[in-house]
Amino acid sequence: MKSFYVKTFGCQMNENDSERIVTILRRQGMTPAASEEIADVVVFNTCTIRENADNRFFGQVNKLRERRAVDPGMRIVVAGCLAQGEQAAIFERAPHVDVVVGTHALGSIAQLLERSDGERHVIDVTEASDGLDPLADLVAEPTDGHKAWVTIQTGCDNNCAFCIVPQVRGGEVSRPFQAVVDEVRSLASQGVTEVTLLGQNVNSYGRDLTRRMRREEIESGDRGFLTGQVYVSDSIPRIRPLFADLLRAVGAVDGIRRVRFTSPHPKDMREETFQAMAESPMVCESLHFPLQSGSDRILAAMHRGYRGERFFEKLQLAREIIPDLAVTTDIIVGFPGETEDDFEATLELVARCEFDSAFTFIYSPRPGTEAGEWRDRFIAPEVIAERFERLKLVTERSAAAKHHARVGRIEEVLVDGPSKRDATVASGRTRQNKLVHVAGLDGDRYRGEYVNARIFDAGAHFLHGELLARD
């Protein structure tokens, strides 16, 4: 039997897609290899959200050039977002690649590998069918044991000027409501206790399904499967998102102790979602809320659909409704045309928001995006670097304050395994998604278990705890 190795770049959606690839290849009788150096088939599941992701991929795939030249049985597969959007560039820059498979064609990866035995440069970058998810029935088998990703929606209908996702993932397509719940129930039966619901804009999950209910004749027996019983029982069904309904339904699945989700879009975040988070005990007190910029002028140029003050009002509402909520965010530095005043507005709003942590990014122009064409507005690299450091000081100050406020508290920690730096320390996450290092706990032995730890020290990015008792 052939062996395979899957290397993943990018977001959680790619992680889930990689799990699907692993599931397909296992079902073909292939076995996982310990590394790409010894695998018969190496799959690179790529990201193209930023230029450095492209460069990292090409740097790593080109390391296999010599091995591919002397091993005619080896196959190199490139999948994911870069494959969907830049297939010609892949074969130009890495001609030793055998197969390119796009985001909508992962289900055909085994067939493409078979074709590569007699065909050079096999490719499938099929576009998504309107309103249909070709991967809807391709459910990944859990690989972590106690945690799993669950895709609830693919694609995006927004037009953020900096983002290439709609081009490589297509428009929004929601999976049927009951199909998601059934997958979570199946995962729970296999020992999974924490699930993370994935979508490019989870807030809008189900809006297309309710639109379909209004537009098409759906058999009465299929309506609940498509949109859930809560929507079907509405006295006046209207076109609306179903995400709050889904959170409650997933949180009610026996065996599930934690429900997370990513990523929402602030313009579509509704109070009903905050209420569902507060009222569903299994939904974690953790919210990723991407700001991107604090300048109203830049937010308008980005086509984000909200102003800074409106973002802050929604954030405050979330904190009022959900006790002990931890909030993280994304911020782009150096968006085309960003002035010093725009950046100062970002610093001011970020300081007001007091995020638990922030993922800060230097703007990366992407071919095919609107902002990528605004080269006359690009910001000098030295200016961006200086702003980046100033922003880092603000975000780390609030992160450290939030973490130090948790010292002395008892936290429930789901153990993920040993610490990467110290095998005598176990690492895990709280309900707020805080990383906790628990001294004196065997991370391998207690992987997947919930323990109580008293927090005795904190940094900007992690907490230190001592074990109190096992649940």
Side-chain angles (χ1 to χ4, degrees):
M1 293 190 296
K2 288 187 175 181
S3 63
F4 68 89
Y5 185 84
V6 180
K7 189 170 186 65
T8 308
F9 301 81
C11 67
Q12 295 96 332
M13 189 72 75
N14 274 17
E15 295 281 357
N16 190 222
D17 283 348
S18 289
E19 291 178 343
R20 296 182 184 193
I21 293 170
V22 169
T23 298
I24 292 171
L25 297 182
R26 280 181 177 274
R27 289 175 181 174
Q28 293 297 310
M30 300 177 67
T31 57
S35 71
E36 60 198 80
E37 287 79 14
I38 61 173
D40 298 310
V41 175
V42 178
V43 182
F44 293 93
N45 192 16
T46 60
C47 172
T48 190
I49 199 72
R50 282 176 291 278
E51 185 178 13
N52 64 346
D54 293 7
N55 294 335
R56 282 181 58 223
F57 156 70
F58 280 112
Q60 296 201 26
V61 76
N62 282 326
K63 290 179 181 178
L64 296 177
R65 186 188 300 267
E66 291 185 7
R67 184 184 163 208
R68 178 66 184 84
V70 299
D71 186 353
M74 181 197 179
R75 292 293 179 266
I76 300 174
V77 180
V78 180
C81 293
L82 184 65
Q84 186 71 33
E86 299 289 335
Q87 57 269 22
I90 291 171
F91 288 133
E92 288 174 6
R93 295 179 62 179
H96 54 296
V97 166
D98 298 284
V99 176
V100 168
V101 53
T103 55
H104 310 296
L106 293 182
S108 66
I109 191 169
Q111 291 75 23
L112 297 176
L113 278 169
E114 288 183 9
R115 282 173 51 191
S116 71
D117 284 340
E119 187 178 338
R120 191 81 178 107
H121 289 174
V122 179
I123 185 170
D124 187 348
V125 288
T126 305
E127 296 292 336
S129 302
D130 184 31
L132 297 174
D133 178 8
L135 305 179
D137 297 325
L138 182 53
V139 176
E141 297 170 357
T143 57
D144 202 340
H146 60 284
K147 299 164 72 171
W149 311 108
V150 177
T151 295
I152 67 172
Q153 168 205 70
T154 59
C156 184
D157 286 344
N158 294 306
N159 64 335
C160 297
F162 55 83
C163 187
I164 200 171
V165 166
Q167 288 94 310
V168 295
R169 290 279 183 180
E172 285 181 11
V173 180
S174 301
R175 291 179 62 199
F177 189 99
Q178 193 59 44
V180 175
V181 177
D182 287 346
E183 180 179 347
V184 173
R185 188 172 289 119
S186 174
L187 289 167
S189 72
Q190 298 173 66
V192 170
T193 62
E194 177 182 300
V195 294
T196 301
L197 307 181
L198 299 178
Q200 303 296 342
N201 180 12
V202 293
N203 309 94
S204 61
Y205 165 79
R207 185 182 284 123
D208 56 328
L209 302 179
T210 60
R211 187 180 298 115
R212 180 178 166 191
M213 287 275 283
R214 293 286 296 271
R215 186 178 63 234
E216 302 176 14
E217 289 292 331
I218 306 294
E219 295 290 335
S220 59
D222 295 333
R223 293 184 177 186
F225 183 82
L226 190 66
T227 59
Q229 292 301 325
V230 172
Y231 181 79
V232 171
S233 64
D234 280 355
S235 56
I236 307 178
R238 64 192 190 283
I239 296 174
R240 67 172 177 85
L242 301 171
F243 187 58
D245 297 351
L246 186 67
L247 281 179
R248 289 187 168 92
V250 169
V253 172
D254 286 343
I256 295 299
R257 291 182 58 162
R258 289 184 179 180
V259 179
R260 304 187 188 278
F261 61 87
T262 195
S263 281
H265 194 302
K267 76 176 177 60
D268 295 319
M269 182 60 85
R270 298 153 66 103
E271 182 176 344
E272 65 184 33
T273 297
F274 299 148
Q275 295 290 354
M277 293 175 68
E279 295 165 10
S280 303
M282 304 310 170
V283 180
C284 292
E285 298 83 3
S286 175
L287 174 65
H288 188 63
F289 209 41
L291 172 61
Q292 305 300 3
S293 174
S295 161
D296 289 344
R297 191 180 72 86
I298 294 298
L299 288 171
M302 289 178 168
H303 307 316
R304 290 293 287 172
Y306 54 85
R307 298 170 69 89
E309 194 59 33
R310 181 58 176 152
F311 177 95
F312 184 74
E313 290 170 357
K314 289 190 177 186
L315 176 59
Q316 292 299 92
L317 179 63
R319 285 172 167 160
E320 290 172 8
I321 293 174
I322 308 165
D324 202 19
L325 178 67
V327 184
T328 59
T329 196
D330 294 334
I331 306 165
I332 295 174
V333 179
F335 185 79
E338 181 186 69
T339 65
E340 179 62 20
D341 286 344
D342 292 323
F343 182 68
E344 287 288 347
T346 296
L347 290 180
E348 180 181 348
L349 185 54
V350 169
R352 288 175 64 199
C353 289
E354 298 180 319
F355 295 112
D356 289 72
S357 70
F359 301 92
T360 52
F361 305 98
I362 291 174
Y363 170 72
S364 179
R366 297 284 73 202
T369 62
E370 183 179 352
E373 304 300 318
W374 299 343
R375 297 193 172 276
D376 59 329
R377 304 185 217 173
F378 283 7
I379 311 300
E382 62 271 18
V383 174
I384 293 177
E386 187 267 344
R387 289 176 181 173
F388 192 86
E389 291 303 314
R390 287 159 61 194
L391 177 62
K392 183 179 177 181
L393 289 175
V394 176
T395 58
E396 293 202 345
R397 183 171 62 231
S398 66
K402 291 285 187 179
H403 279 189
H404 281 289
R406 306 192 84 84
V407 172
R409 294 182 49 160
I410 297 173
E411 302 276 5
E412 179 193 72
V413 179
L414 173 55
V415 179
D416 290 323
S419 166
K420 294 179 180 179
R421 296 185 177 181
D422 186 347
T424 67
V425 174
S427 292
R429 296 276 174 175
T430 70
R431 289 178 58 89
Q432 289 75 21
N433 210 27
K434 305 287 189 183
L435 176 63
V436 182
H437 299 303
V438 184
L441 184 66
D442 187 330
D444 280 321
R445 180 181 177 187
Y446 292 105
R447 189 190 307 268
E449 297 203 28
Y450 293 82
V451 301
N452 292 324
R454 186 188 302 278
I455 306 303
F456 64 85
D457 194 12
H461 305 290
F462 57 85
L463 303 171
H464 282 298
E466 56 184 356
L467 182 66
L468 288 187
R470 287 183 54 212
D471 186 357

